[in-house]
Amino acid sequence: RGTPLHAYSDFTQHTGNKEDKSVKDATTCVKCVVTGLQSLIEEQRQVSTLASDSDDQGSADLVDAYVQVQEKLIWMYNAFLG
C-alpha cells in the first residue's frame, strides 16, 4: 500500500505518458490524443487484471468500463484521421 499522488508534478514523474508541447494543427493534436489514450488503456488493462486477480470484481468492472469508452474514442478519432 502507498499514498496516492496528489500533485500534478508528482504524477508527471511517475507516468509513462509524454507531454506534447506546441501542437499547432488539429491532425497532430488528435494523433497525440490517440497515442495518450492507447497508453492509458494498456495501464488500465493491467489494473483490471490485478483487480480481478485480487477478487475485486467491482474495481475491474469500473476500469473495464473506462477502457470501453476510451476504445470508442480512439475509433472515432481514427475515423477523423482517415
Side-chain angles (χ1 to χ4, degrees):
R1 292 208 148 156
T3 303
L5 302 175
H6 293 95
Y8 185 74
S9 58
D10 292 336
F11 171 77
T12 60
Q13 294 174 5
H14 292 87
T15 183
N17 294 338
K18 68 179 184 79
E19 180 181 23
D20 298 305
K21 294 183 179 181
S22 303
V23 177
K24 298 187 184 334
D25 66 282
T27 301
T28 302
C29 183
V30 172
K31 286 179 182 178
C32 293
V33 169
V34 168
T35 300
L37 285 171
Q38 288 170 331
S39 175
L40 188 59
I41 287 171
E42 287 178 27
E43 291 183 32
Q44 289 171 328
R45 286 194 172 125
Q46 292 174 3
V47 169
S48 178
T49 299
L50 288 171
S52 291
D53 292 348
S54 300
D55 294 324
D56 184 358
Q57 198 56 46
S59 294
D61 289 345
L62 182 66
V63 173
D64 291 343
Y66 291 149
V67 169
Q68 281 185 315
V69 170
Q70 292 161 349
E71 286 176 332
K72 183 177 180 180
L73 287 171
I74 288 172
W75 179 85
M76 289 189 290
Y77 289 141
N78 282 328
F80 166 80
L81 294 170

